[in-house]
């Protein structure tokens, strides 16, 4: 199960409830059963993605996931999940997390399901701090804070990913961050919540607190990204200051550090460091990217250019580090499924920003104002970063549709930057001469040319995907939405980031899982009858 979701479960209390369930199963509520089935679905889904075997008693992982998922949906429907009640918010939230982890691609349906969950949470009062309501116990109030903080983070991330404004706005809630305490510090009988432990001490809630601070500022950044109202540069700089302040509060243990200095650290802690770091750099890019189209001789916006470029280079460097360490022999190999559609979008944004800068200053052209060179230097280093990212996506492009889309996008970017605007034809599919098994060959993978130091053969810890090991060829679809890349690179002074978010970040295909609720005639009318 994901680390952030574990924090929303009070393990000692859940263990008691689980034992009671087996002792007196008939006394268990349907909403708690939905909660249990949703947790089991999420846990086995993640275990399946990691390639870890299940107990022989469970049988096929796909079948058991389908069964548990169906039972969770049935229990939610029978408990009338639209009406507030104990465990309903948590059950629906874990069901949503299960849907999120079922696919490597972004799914619009998950954002809809999360929206329903948030509405239910608001009806149940999760958006108000429990301190205002004496009837809510200390234990329940603190667990509500953890659930709401995690839900808020996911809302901001997924909404931005699918190109929609976030559901939870700042004016709608007044919930304090959960305290920096462990599960052992409080229980159902606690009457006074203990004070937070020092930020330097890692607890169950430490990661939620650190991420919530940065995510709170990124929420503001995403609001501006989708707003049609004008914003002043002073407002941008104020949000930038708040972002730096939030980043400065990240505990030392969550600070990014070289991998060779992390051998003694658990893999989940290393991944948390990278997650926080990439989120911070992404927020910087999205906040300042609107000023990349300004005339470079205007030093007023030189700071924004520097922020975008430095953040983009850091993001692509982290991509290379993570890819290296998630290969066989790497310290993150067990977590090799960590990169997902959220990270793919971040890597593409960073690559696009670098390409825009390279398009502004093509080789051989004099720079009008030498003072601006302090913002960006090292064209070859930037090209190398793009080539590394392109090579990584080439190796993993069979994992998902979003990975294929990212590979196609980077191919367009590199062709455009390296060949001075040469038009990019659609990938040509054909039969290679002398190919006796008549398999389809992707003849466009040589453009841009392969780079010997990063080839799939010579790359450190390189590993073939399951499709490659089985000798399967995947016919890559054309992505007409990527035409926006050519337009932005052709006219970098007239950028439309709204178009980028809509065309490049949005999911590449409709959800394949239309049966989110497993409609069953036996359950038709239950919600209506219960609400009467």
């Amino acid at each position: 199960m994901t680390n952030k979701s574990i924090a929303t479960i009070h393990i000692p209390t859940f263990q008691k409830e689980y034992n009671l369930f087996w002792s007196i199963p008939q006394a268990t509520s349907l909403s708690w059963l939905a909660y249990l089935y949703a947790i089991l679905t999420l846990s086995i889904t993640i275990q399946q993605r990691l390639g870890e075997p299940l107990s022989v008693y469970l049988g096929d992982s796909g079948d058991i996931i389908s069964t548990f998922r169906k039972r969770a949906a049935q229990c939610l429907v029978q408990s009338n999940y639209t009406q507030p009640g104990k465990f309903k918010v948590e059950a629906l939230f874990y069901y949503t997390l299960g849907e999120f982890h079922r696919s490597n691609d972004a799914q619009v349906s998950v954002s809809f399901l999360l929206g329903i969950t948030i509405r239910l949470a608001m009806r149940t009062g999760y958006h108000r701090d429990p301190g205002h309501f004496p009837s809510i116990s200390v234990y329940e109030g603190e667990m509500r804070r953890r659930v709401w903080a995690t839900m808020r983070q996911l809302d901001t991330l997924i909404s931005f990913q699918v190109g929609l404004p976030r559901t939870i706005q700042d004016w709608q809630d007044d919930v304090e961050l959960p305290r920096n305490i462990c599960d052992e510090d409080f229980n159902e009988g606690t009457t006074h919540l203990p004070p937070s432990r020092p930020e330097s001490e890692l607890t169950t809630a430490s990661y939620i607190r650190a991420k919530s601070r940065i995510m709170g500022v990124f929420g503001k950044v995403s609001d501006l990204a989708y707003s049609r109202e004008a914003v002043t540069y002073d407002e941008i700089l104020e949000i930038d200051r708040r972002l730096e302040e939030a980043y400065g509060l990240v505990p030392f243990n969550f600070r990014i550090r070289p991998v060779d200095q992390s051998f003694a650290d658990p893999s989940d802690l290393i991944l948390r460091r990278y997650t926080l770091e990439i989120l911070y750099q992404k927020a910087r890019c999205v906040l300042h990217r609107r000023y990349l189209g300004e005339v470079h001789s205007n030093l007023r916006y030189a700071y924004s250019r520097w922020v975008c470029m430095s953040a983009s280079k850091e993001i692509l460097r982290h991509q290379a580090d993570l890819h290296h360490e998630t290969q066989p022999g790497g310290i993150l190999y067990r977590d090799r499924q960590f990169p997902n559609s959220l990270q793919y979008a971040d890597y593409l944004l960073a690559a696009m920003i670098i390409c825009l800068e390279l398009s502004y200053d093509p080789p051989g052209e004099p720079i009008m104002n030498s003072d601006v060179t302090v913002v960006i230097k090292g064209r070859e280093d930037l090209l190398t970063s793009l080539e590394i990212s392109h090579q990584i996506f080439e190796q993993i492009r069979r994992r998902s549709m979003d990975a294929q889309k990212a590979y196609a996008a980077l191919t367009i970017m590199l062709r455009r930057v390296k060949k001075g605007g040469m038009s990019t034809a659609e990938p040509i599919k054909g039969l290679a001469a002398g190919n006796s098994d008549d398999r389809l060959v992707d003849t466009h993978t040589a453009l841009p040319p392969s780079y010997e130091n990063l080839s799939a053969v010579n790359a450190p810890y390189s590993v073939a995907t399951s499709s490659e090991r089985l000798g399967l060829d995947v016919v890559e679809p054309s992505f007409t939405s990527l035409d926006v890349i050519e337009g932005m690179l052709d006219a970098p002074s007239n950028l439309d980031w709204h178009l980028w978010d809509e065309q490049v970040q949005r999911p590449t295909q409709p959800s394949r899982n239309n049966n989110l609720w497993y409609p069953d005639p036996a359950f038709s009318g239950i919600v209506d009858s219960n609400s009467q």
Side-chain angles (χ1 to χ4, degrees):
M1 191 179 298
T2 59
N3 293 309
K4 64 182 178 183
S5 59
I6 289 178
T8 60
I9 301 175
H10 192 264
I11 301 300
T13 300
F14 181 79
Q15 184 67 60
K16 292 178 183 178
E17 295 167 346
Y18 184 75
N19 294 339
L20 182 62
F21 162 68
W22 285 110
S23 299
I24 318 175
Q26 64 273 18
T28 304
S29 66
L30 283 171
S31 55
W32 190 88
L33 274 179
Y35 182 39
L36 174 63
Y37 278 125
I39 290 174
L40 292 173
T41 302
L42 176 61
S43 300
I44 298 176
T45 298
I46 293 176
Q47 192 169 359
Q48 181 191 51
R49 292 187 62 182
L50 292 175
E52 296 181 354
L54 295 177
S55 169
V56 293
Y57 301 105
L58 290 176
D60 180 72
S61 60
D63 291 340
I64 197 65
I65 289 173
S66 178
T67 299
F68 285 162
R69 176 173 173 257
K70 183 175 182 178
R71 296 292 176 260
Q74 290 172 337
C75 289
L76 278 167
V77 172
Q78 282 200 313
S79 66
N80 192 5
Y81 68 92
T82 61
Q83 296 297 319
K86 193 173 183 180
F87 301 118
K88 290 183 180 179
V89 172
E90 290 78 7
L92 192 54
F93 182 53
Y94 273 91
Y95 187 92
T96 303
L97 286 176
E99 294 302 306
F100 174 75
H101 285 283
R102 285 185 70 210
S103 173
N104 287 325
D105 292 316
Q107 302 290 330
V108 176
S109 58
V110 174
S111 69
F112 295 154
L113 196 53
L114 181 60
I116 296 173
T117 308
I118 291 171
R119 291 299 182 187
L120 175 61
M122 286 183 169
R123 287 201 66 188
T124 315
Y126 279 58
H127 64 302
R128 299 300 312 279
D129 190 79
H132 300 310
F133 307 97
S135 60
I136 299 178
S137 69
V138 170
Y139 162 79
E140 184 182 356
E142 186 64 9
M143 294 310 299
R144 281 187 172 211
R145 292 188 184 100
R146 291 185 180 184
V147 171
W148 183 255
T150 306
M151 199 179 300
R152 220 176 189 279
Q153 294 173 17
L154 199 62
D155 174 46
T156 301
L157 282 177
I158 291 183
S159 296
F160 186 77
Q161 180 187 31
V162 300
L164 296 171
R166 54 180 176 154
T167 303
I168 304 172
Q169 297 297 320
D170 292 340
W171 58 268
Q172 294 174 320
D173 77 318
D174 60 356
V175 182
E176 297 179 359
L177 286 178
R179 296 194 182 184
N180 192 42
I181 55 179
C182 299
D183 286 355
E184 294 75 17
D185 295 334
F186 69 111
N187 54 49
E188 290 179 294
T190 300
T191 56
H192 297 285
L193 204 61
S196 285
R197 299 190 183 197
E199 292 292 341
S200 58
E201 186 174 348
L202 294 184
T203 69
T204 310
S206 294
Y207 181 65
I208 292 180
R209 289 168 58 85
K211 191 172 183 179
S212 289
R213 294 190 184 101
I214 299 179
M215 193 68 73
V217 183
F218 180 66
K220 289 283 190 183
V221 173
S222 65
D223 290 343
L224 291 180
Y226 294 119
S227 175
R228 294 296 178 180
E229 297 181 358
V231 58
T232 67
Y233 194 54
D234 288 338
E235 291 177 287
I236 295 295
L237 294 180
E238 172 58 23
I239 295 178
D240 180 84
R241 183 194 64 78
R242 291 174 55 188
L243 178 61
E244 295 299 324
E245 184 179 278
Y247 183 69
L249 294 175
V250 173
F252 175 77
N253 287 318
F254 288 140
R255 289 280 184 171
I256 195 70
R257 63 195 64 179
V259 176
D260 58 8
Q261 298 179 20
S262 306
F263 287 129
D265 297 328
S267 61
D268 63 327
L269 178 58
I270 297 174
L271 286 178
R272 288 179 176 186
R273 290 170 183 162
Y274 275 102
T275 300
L276 290 175
E277 178 69 16
I278 292 176
L279 174 62
Y280 161 67
Q281 302 294 356
K282 170 185 179 177
R284 298 175 75 203
C285 287
V286 177
L287 178 63
H288 289 278
R289 65 184 183 179
R290 65 180 64 206
Y291 299 105
L292 291 175
E294 298 295 334
V295 178
H296 280 195
S297 59
N298 187 349
L299 293 181
R300 172 175 170 77
Y301 304 111
Y303 173 72
S304 290
R305 289 181 59 208
W306 174 82
V307 167
C308 283
M309 291 305 299
S310 60
S312 297
K313 289 190 289 185
E314 285 298 299
I315 289 174
L316 294 189
R317 183 171 66 86
H318 296 325
Q319 179 193 16
D321 290 343
L322 285 169
H323 180 73
H324 183 278
E325 295 303 329
T326 51
Q327 304 307 307
I331 61 176
L332 298 177
Y333 177 67
R334 182 184 178 277
D335 303 281
R336 57 194 176 278
Q337 293 298 329
F338 166 73
N340 55 35
S341 56
L342 288 173
Q343 282 77 42
Y344 296 159
D346 298 343
Y347 301 151
L348 272 185
L349 174 61
M352 187 62 185
I353 288 174
I354 290 176
C355 284
L356 286 170
E357 192 64 39
L358 293 175
S359 297
Y360 253 119
D361 298 315
E365 291 192 10
I367 299 177
M368 299 300 296
N369 191 328
S370 59
D371 293 336
V372 184
T373 59
V374 300
V375 179
I376 171 178
K377 58 182 179 180
R379 179 182 177 87
E380 291 304 317
D381 290 341
L382 296 179
L383 279 174
T384 299
S385 297
L386 293 177
E387 291 167 356
I388 292 174
S389 182
H390 180 264
Q391 191 69 30
I392 291 172
F393 277 118
E394 182 180 18
Q395 292 185 36
I396 67 173
R397 69 184 188 274
R398 289 180 173 86
R399 288 184 182 178
S400 69
M401 188 71 72
D402 284 343
Q404 290 186 37
K405 184 176 182 179
Y407 172 68
L410 270 164
T411 300
I412 294 174
M413 293 180 195
L414 273 174
R415 281 176 169 174
R416 177 64 175 78
V417 170
K418 297 184 72 173
K419 298 195 175 184
M422 184 188 76
S423 62
T424 55
E426 289 294 328
I428 301 173
K429 301 292 181 180
L431 297 178
N435 191 3
S436 59
D437 59 359
D438 291 340
R439 291 186 299 171
L440 287 175
V441 176
D442 184 359
T443 58
H444 86 293
T445 54
L447 287 174
S450 59
Y451 311 101
E452 293 182 0
N453 60 325
L454 291 169
S455 67
V457 176
N458 299 323
Y461 300 138
S462 65
V463 60
T465 64
S466 57
S467 297
E468 291 168 333
R469 288 195 300 269
L470 295 174
L472 301 178
D473 287 286
V474 178
V475 178
E476 298 175 11
S478 60
F479 299 99
T480 56
S481 62
L482 297 182
D483 294 342
V484 65
I485 295 176
E486 285 280 357
M488 293 178 73
L489 293 177
D490 285 336
S493 60
N494 188 26
L495 300 178
D496 186 351
W497 287 107
H498 292 284
L499 192 60
W500 167 273
D501 294 335
E502 292 173 1
Q503 297 294 320
V504 179
Q505 286 204 162
R506 71 179 181 182
T508 55
Q509 62 179 1
S511 173
R512 295 170 298 173
N513 307 318
N514 296 323
N515 56 336
L516 286 177
W517 292 106
Y518 280 96
D520 190 324
F523 302 117
S524 62
I526 285 179
V527 174
D528 294 336
S529 62
N530 286 345
S531 60
Q532 291 177 354

